[in-house]
Structure formats: C-alpha cells, structure tokens
Amino acid sequence: MHIYDQTRHVALALQNRAETWAQGSASRKFWFEFILFGIKQAWACLYGGAMLVLLIGTMVFWPKEGAILSRYEFLFVAALALQVLLITLKLERFEEVTVIFIFHIVGTVMEIFKTHMGSWSYPGDGYLIIGGVPLFTGFMYACIGSYIARATRLFAMSYR
C-alpha cells in the first residue's frame, strides 16, 4: 500500500469515528465540521505552506556570500524538488500538477511584464532568470493554482 493510500485510509477511519461521535449533538456537529474544515484548508495549502517556509527560511538564513547557488536558484530547485516529491508520494494528482504548471507559466509571464513596466525588480544574480525575473517566482503563482485545485477536490466543488 502506497503512503498516499495509507494516509487516506487512516484519515477516513478517523473521520468516520469523529462523525459517529458528532451525531446526535448540534454542538458536537458544529465542532466536527469546524475542525474538518480547518484540516481540509491546511491540506489544500500544503504546497503553498511549504513554499512559504522555503521563502522565509532562505530570506532569514541564506548566506550573504560564499553560497554555491544563488538564493533564487536554490528556491527554483527546491520548489521543483518539492513538486516532484509531492507527485512521487501521490500527494498531488495529475490534474493538480497541470493547473500548477499553467499557473507557473502565467505567473512567470506576468512577472516579466511587471518588471519590464518598472513595477519592481529582483535584486541579486543567478542563471535561472528570464527577463530579469527569477524562475522560482512562477512557483509563487503555482501555489495559488495548487490551492485552488486541491480545495476544489477536497470540498467537492464544481464550477459552471
């Protein structure tokens, strides 16, 4: 059994026990739904949360001099590795990866446009830069795509 299947099995078992506990009491039902909503939101934010940890962690702890990679290059490689890990562990589905990829491309193009128009610039250097924009920036937009795709699935939403 794969880690995703094991995790899903345990989560469903816990959810069934909690649903049984919540039956018969409006107060228990409220708290069950409230906590379940929070857990689903946290799960939907998995990729974005991990990226936020990377961004803040490198901002605080990245060495000023002597690093083998620039911070931007490290962030790109780390974001890509994170995505591969989530796919390998089957924590993200192909449909979610497709949405993430589209958001990454659109986000990178938007960043190139905004930096070209002078809205902001990225200090620092590196090799993984297009039009003055580090490639990791597309992953920041991809976090939004990941959240939308995951939340849509987790909350069984549909769009018309």
Side-chain angles (χ1 to χ4, degrees), residues 31-82:
W31 286 110
F32 168 75
E33 292 294 334
F34 183 75
I35 292 169
L36 184 61
F37 177 79
I39 290 169
K40 286 182 177 182
Q41 285 291 344
W43 187 247
C45 294
L46 176 67
Y47 187 73
M51 279 299 297
L52 186 61
V53 168
L54 284 171
L55 287 168
I56 293 171
T58 59
M59 183 178 70
V60 173
F61 298 111
W62 197 258
K64 301 287 183 210
E65 294 180 17
I68 297 171
L69 294 174
S70 74
R71 177 177 175 239
Y72 296 154
E73 290 164 341
F74 172 79
L75 284 169
F76 176 79
V77 171
L80 199 57
L82 176 62

Side-chain angles (χ1 to χ4, degrees), residues 124-142:
D125 57 350
Y127 296 106
L128 301 176
I129 295 175
I130 296 176
V133 175
L135 290 181
F136 87 88
T137 61
F139 284 105
M140 293 187 302
Y141 291 86

Side-chain angles (χ1 to χ4, degrees), residues 1 5 15-16 21 25 29 42 44 58 64 76 78 103 107-108 116 122 128-129 133-134 144:
M1 189 181 290
D5 297 324
Q15 183 176 342
N16 288 337
W21 170 82
S25 167
K29 181 72 172 166
T58 59
K64 301 287 183 210
F76 176 79
F103 268 76
T108 301
H116 177 72
Y122 290 93
L128 301 176
I129 295 175
V133 175
I144 297 164

